[in-house]
Amino acid sequence: MQPFELPDFYMPYPARLNPHVDQARAHTREWAAEMGFFETQQGHHIWDESDLERHDYGLLCAYTHPECDGPELDLITDWYVWVFYFDDHFLELYKRTQDSEGARDYLRRLQDFMPLTGTEMPEPTNPVERGLADLWPRTVPSMSLDWRRRFAVTTQALLEESRWELANITEGRIANPIEYIEMRRKVGGAPWSANLVEHAVRAEVPAELAATRPLCVLRDTFSDGVHLRNDIFSYEREVREEGENANCILVLERFLGLDTQPAAEVVNDLLTSRVQQFEYTAVTELPLLFAEFGVGPHEQADVARYAKGLQDWQAGGHEWHLRSSRYMNKGRKSTANPLLAMLAPSGLGMSALRISPSSLGLKRFNSFLHVPYAEVGPTPLPEIYMPFTLQLNTHLDTARENAVTWAQGMGMLGPVPDTELTLWSERDLREFDFALCSSGLDPDATESELDLATHWLTWGTYVDDYYPAVFFPTKNLLGAKLQGRRMLDFMPLDSAATPPAANPIETGLADLWARTTLPMDADQKLEFRTAVQSFISACEWEVLNHVLHRIPDPIDYVEMRRDTFGSDLTKALSRLSHGNLVPPQVYRTQTLKNLENTAADYAILLNDLFSYQKETQFEGDFHNGVSVIQNFLSCDRDRAVEIVNDLMTARLQQFERVVTHELPTLYEEYQLDESARRVLDRRAVELQDWMAAILNWHTGCGRYTESKLRERFHREPAQPAASDSGLALPFLRPTGLGTSAARVGGGLAQASRSAP
């Protein structure tokens, strides 16, 4: 008996089969034998020829890369045979035996077989090394150094993070949902597959665009789609037969308390959401990106071919899962129809013309059906987990008065220029009491340090209120992007003068930048400026969602909310204050990322609980974790609040685990000296203070109480206008490449040409 019935999948584009499939099968069979994949390894049986035949990776690659030529398909197929062999080899030799030390040494050696320049490699000692030593020089010569770096990073992540799975199996630990999605991208290897798509379609993503939000979203939504689909098909084999616990269905069974069938349905809903996010990004955000960066026709064509290659991979991967003996697929028919494949439009954004019966339900459109300014009332707060002790700075009272004086000087307590708005009064600012928060964030700060921290918090919150108030009502995405561009002028990397400020956020940023960066060198200024840019770009993302009346899905929300909350800004300030005692590669480890992200997610979700009524009822905003969960799971507010609180608790408990288990392991692995260890120990304590202070501030300030909200907004909750009722369904308007998105981009390009 299957553990559940396969759900009705959303797959809007048909799979196509590469005509060179038989050649690829024959070639990779010979190649696998030559690499030693069918030989016994340390007494363990990994594969024989029948395993390779049954799994049919040639068919996988022929479906996922339908347009490449024969030699390219041979190469791609060899890579996938290698990566699946590695997965099973690692399972038998290290996961089943729980040999963590042997796994570390095994994975570390593989790095030597991926040189960015030259061809020098050690002598291979096992089939995995032999395969990588053969594949690497066959692949990288035709690609740029930037692509090689990206491919090496994703290949190493695919290999290295297998230790995370091993550690969880050893401890009998199942990840929380946020952790699982983050780590599955690394372990599952789809970012690695996305890099191979560039090679297969002969279209590199331009280096200057590779790290931008739209390209990262295309890669990440593709990755999540691949992995979530695989989790559904492989649940029976992984969970029931192999004892694996890295599977999203299992994660949601435990976290949400669901039986297997409903958990599988929720995973399928998330899969659908990620595929649709991919489509939305390709159609809506890529044109904006091209216009903003002035991307030429050739580079635009490369990005479009890359996106189309990812789309083909999704369709082909789904088809292969329906056919491969490796997976649970009884009762599901092929989606590949030769006639449909010839007749159906297959370009980016064409899925709306091929809506299947399974996607006609209301759930597909839920993200666009939000009714603004709903009367929700005060939020019933749950018991909040906080194991850390609050400490307050002795300069708190002085910082409170200095914050009021500074905000007045920046113009934050008066009318907003060119509007009829006054965002804050002095009374509002005193009730917000940002100094109380800063005082707990850094209880040992000097008076001037506490003032600076309080002023940054004041400025960031003013920006957070400014964008919804100024840009949401008029859906002015162009204005938001132009404001973001102007911000760069107030963060010079040299001694250049700043232009006259046009509003309080520019005045405040100019002052803070000068005070903060005075002791920084050029690299530190650039790092800090990038962190501020991330915050501003996330504010623009909120405006874009508001224009499209689109509630983000849970994954997109959590990842972008870190930026709107200023997490990168906080990290940059802290790291710069520590000097250079910690090697840069340590800051790039997953352990340090986990330390920072778990704390950030706790604070973000905590804020969402307290701000739900303010944002939903008084501001008409839907960028809130409670709203996102309500929308995605179709549950009521109280259940969404409970789930958000459970996520907060899970992330904080993961933070505690990082401090007690992962940091000591990191210290030993990188052989850090005592000074570097003290820096990282101090960072952990800072984050503990940060979380305790943020909870104390939310419970002690007057920013979120209903009576204060009614006084501040001077009205009963507004009734939504007919045009904003959510029933207009803006996604039904023309949104293809070059329509409304291009008009915004055109305005940006014109503004850029006329800027001094």
Side-chain angles (χ1 to χ4, degrees):
M1 294 287 292
Q2 291 186 170
F4 60 91
E5 183 178 336
L6 287 173
D8 191 4
F9 292 99
Y10 172 76
M11 180 44 63
Y13 9 87
R16 296 176 296 139
L17 186 64
N18 192 301
H20 304 291
V21 57
D22 290 332
Q23 172 189 323
R25 283 168 168 154
H27 165 85
T28 206
R29 188 185 308 115
E30 294 179 4
W31 180 81
E34 183 181 346
M35 296 300 108
F37 287 5
F38 305 138
E39 300 169 4
T40 300
Q41 298 296 310
Q42 300 179 29
H44 294 268
H45 168 78
I46 311 298
W47 280 4
D48 55 34
E49 289 192 44
S50 65
D51 294 313
L52 185 63
E53 295 293 333
R54 287 198 321 274
H55 297 162
D56 204 351
Y57 301 116
L59 184 68
L60 165 67
C61 295
Y63 270 126
T64 55
H65 300 82
E67 296 182 351
C68 64
D69 59 25
E72 182 70 17
L73 185 62
D74 290 346
L75 174 64
I76 296 294
T77 304
D78 290 348
W79 268 112
Y80 278 87
V81 168
W82 175 81
V83 84
F84 277 99
Y85 178 83
F86 160 79
D87 192 50
D88 290 346
H89 187 263
F90 191 81
L91 171 69
E92 291 296 330
L93 270 64
Y94 301 104
K95 284 185 180 178
R96 291 196 189 282
T97 60
Q98 299 186 10
D99 180 8
S100 300
E101 184 175 345
R104 182 181 63 225
D105 295 339
Y106 166 85
L107 294 171
R108 188 171 287 167
R109 259 186 64 86
L110 292 177
Q111 299 178 36
D112 298 335
F113 294 90
M114 296 183 287
L116 295 182
T117 57
T119 59
E120 186 175 347
M121 299 180 188
E123 187 68 25
T125 61
N126 59 56
V128 174
E129 293 179 354
R130 196 174 301 120
L132 185 55
D134 176 82
L135 288 167
W136 191 260
R138 290 168 56 195
T139 305
V140 301
S142 63
M143 307 301 283
S144 70
L145 186 60
D146 175 71
W147 183 90
R148 296 181 197 188
R149 289 194 185 98
R150 288 190 281 116
F151 189 53
V153 167
T154 54
T155 305
Q156 189 60 37
L158 167 67
L159 304 173
E160 190 71 21
E161 301 308 335
S162 296
R163 294 167 59 190
W164 170 78
E165 291 184 316
L166 176 58
N168 284 344
I169 292 171
T170 303
E171 298 176 28
R173 174 181 178 270
I174 296 174
N176 63 70
I178 298 175
E179 174 192 8
Y180 178 77
I181 293 296
E182 285 186 331
M183 295 303 297
R184 186 70 166 94
R185 286 179 187 164
K186 297 176 181 294
V187 176
W192 171 88
S193 295
N195 286 332
L196 274 181
V197 165
E198 293 179 70
H199 193 284
V201 301
R202 292 179 169 82
E204 278 195 44
V205 173
E208 65 273 17
L209 301 182
T212 61
R213 170 183 154 80
L215 269 298
C216 289
V217 171
L218 288 184
R219 179 199 64 213
D220 291 344
T221 51
F222 163 78
S223 301
D224 295 340
V226 169
H227 297 146
L228 292 169
R229 178 177 292 106
N230 178 264
D231 282 354
I232 294 172
F233 281 99
S234 65
Y235 176 90
E236 182 175 41
R237 177 177 59 83
E238 291 181 344
V239 177
R240 296 289 177 89
E241 298 174 9
E242 296 178 352
E244 296 267 11
N245 58 13
N247 185 288
C248 197
I249 295 176
L250 180 62
V251 168
L252 294 185
E253 282 180 308
R254 299 296 178 88
F255 184 78
L256 295 176
L258 297 175
D259 291 335
T260 305
Q261 184 69 52
E265 298 291 348
V266 174
V267 172
N268 187 50
D269 287 342
L270 191 55
L271 165 61
T272 300
S273 177
R274 298 312 279 163
V275 174
Q276 292 172 353
Q277 170 85 34
F278 177 94
E279 297 170 321
Y280 159 85
T281 301
V283 171
T284 305
E285 295 191 41
L286 281 184
L288 285 171
L289 180 75
F290 295 157
E292 190 168 352
F293 280 76
V295 179
H298 178 74
E299 290 79 9
Q300 288 189 36
D302 281 347
V303 173
R305 285 206 306 277
Y306 166 68
K308 181 61 167 58
L310 297 180
Q311 178 178 284
D312 286 337
W313 208 113
Q314 287 280 10
H318 183 77
E319 182 66 25
W320 179 69
H321 278 84
L322 291 173
R323 293 171 176 265
S324 176
S325 66
R326 189 178 176 91
Y327 302 109
M328 182 186 89
N329 49 28
K330 295 182 179 65
R332 283 292 168 187
K333 296 180 180 179
S334 168
T335 61
N337 182 311
L339 180 61
L340 179 63
M342 288 188 293
L343 298 179
S346 59
L348 289 173
M350 291 294 104
S351 65
L353 302 180
R354 303 184 303 279
I355 297 175
S356 64
S358 65
S359 65
L360 287 176
L362 182 62
K363 194 168 186 66
R364 173 178 170 82
F365 304 126
N366 275 359
S367 294
F368 299 94
L369 295 176
H370 167 70
V371 178
Y373 303 106
E375 184 85 24
V376 297
T379 306
L381 294 173
E383 183 177 350
I384 295 174
Y385 178 63
M386 173 45 65
F388 309 126
T389 303
L390 174 73
Q391 301 179 69
L392 293 178
N393 193 293
T394 57
H395 302 294
L396 171 58
D397 290 336
T398 303
R400 281 171 167 149
E401 295 306 316
N402 291 346
V404 173
T405 301
W406 182 80
Q408 286 175 329
M410 299 300 106
M412 294 178 181
L413 306 185
V416 178
D418 301 321
T419 75
E420 298 178 355
L421 300 171
T422 298
L423 294 184
W424 295 352
S425 67
E426 180 178 335
R427 179 181 177 183
D428 292 330
L429 183 59
R430 290 186 181 278
E431 288 173 347
F432 297 164
D433 202 0
F434 297 122
L436 175 65
C437 190
S438 298
S439 174
L441 297 180
D442 195 351
D444 300 320
T446 65
E447 182 176 328
S448 61
E449 289 171 342
L450 185 61
D451 280 343
L452 183 61
T454 303
H455 299 167
W456 269 113
L457 184 56
T458 303
W459 178 82
T461 310
Y462 187 86
V463 172
D464 192 51
D465 285 354
Y466 182 96
Y467 271 71
V470 173
F471 301 122
F472 280 14
T474 57
K475 303 185 186 299
N476 188 2
L477 178 60
L478 175 59
K481 285 194 166 288
L482 290 175
Q483 177 63 76
R485 281 202 173 180
R486 278 185 55 85
M487 297 285 217
L488 298 177
D489 296 335
F490 296 91
M491 297 184 288
L493 298 177
D494 51 23
S495 57
T498 59
N503 55 49
I505 57 176
E506 295 178 358
T507 305
L509 181 58
D511 176 79
L512 290 169
W513 181 261
R515 292 161 59 193
T516 305
T517 60
L518 186 61
M520 294 182 184
D521 61 29
D523 290 340
Q524 291 172 327
K525 285 184 180 181
L526 179 60
E527 179 184 355
F528 189 56
R529 181 183 183 180
T530 301
V532 178
Q533 281 183 273
S534 295
F535 170 60
I536 298 300
S537 296
C539 293
E540 296 171 8
W541 167 79
E542 288 188 336
V543 176
L544 176 60
N545 283 336
H546 193 79
V547 169
L548 297 172
H549 207 79
R550 173 189 171 271
I551 300 178
D553 77 9
I555 298 174
D556 193 32
Y557 175 75
V558 168
E559 293 176 338
M560 289 303 294
R561 186 72 169 88
R562 291 171 185 166
D563 290 338
T564 62
F565 201 70
S567 300
D568 282 353
L569 187 56
T570 302
K571 285 187 282 188
L573 281 169
S574 174
R575 189 185 307 174
L576 293 174
S577 71
H578 295 157
N580 297 316
L581 298 177
V582 179
Q585 65 268 27
V586 173
Y587 279 116
R588 292 192 291 267
T589 63
Q590 192 61 44
T591 296
L592 266 294
K593 291 177 182 177
N594 288 342
L595 186 75
E596 304 278 0
N597 288 343
T598 51
D601 292 345
Y602 177 88
I604 289 162
L605 296 169
L606 171 69
N607 177 263
D608 286 349
L609 291 180
F610 281 85
S611 65
Y612 175 72
Q613 184 186 19
K614 167 183 170 287
E615 293 170 347
T616 303
Q617 184 171 326
F618 291 90
E619 296 177 334
D621 192 9
F622 45 75
H623 293 95
N624 182 286
V626 177
S627 297
V628 168
I629 293 296
Q630 271 185 282
N631 176 73
F632 182 73
L633 293 179
S634 300
C635 63
D636 62 23
R637 177 200 60 187
D638 292 351
R639 175 58 177 149
V641 165
E642 180 183 351
I643 292 171
V644 168
N645 188 48
D646 287 345
L647 276 172
M648 285 169 49
T649 303
R651 292 300 269 172
L652 184 45
Q653 290 172 341
Q654 186 186 346
F655 173 90
E656 293 176 292
R657 181 180 180 276
V658 171
V659 172
T660 57
H661 290 79
E662 295 183 28
L663 276 182
T665 301
L666 181 78
Y667 297 164
E668 294 300 323
E669 187 169 333
Y670 283 84
Q671 299 180 336
L672 298 182
D673 60 26
E674 285 302 316
S675 60
R677 296 183 185 208
R678 282 195 299 270
V679 167
L680 295 179
D681 286 342
R682 174 182 153 199
R683 180 57 181 151
V685 172
E686 287 174 349
L687 290 169
Q688 292 172 4
D689 290 339
W690 190 63
M691 288 183 280
I694 288 175
L695 175 58
N696 178 67
W697 176 70
H698 278 87
T699 57
C701 76
R703 182 169 168 82
Y704 303 108
T705 57
E706 184 176 35
S707 60
K708 300 297 183 183
L709 288 169
R710 293 198 184 279
E711 290 176 13
R712 181 179 160 205
F713 285 88
H714 306 297
R715 57 170 172 78
E716 291 300 310
Q719 297 300 314
S723 61
D724 285 333
S725 66
L727 301 179
L729 302 182
F731 58 87
L732 294 180
R733 303 172 193 150
T735 57
L737 300 178
T739 57
S740 60
R743 289 196 295 274
V744 175
L748 281 170
Q750 183 174 352
S752 179
R753 287 193 295 271
S754 61

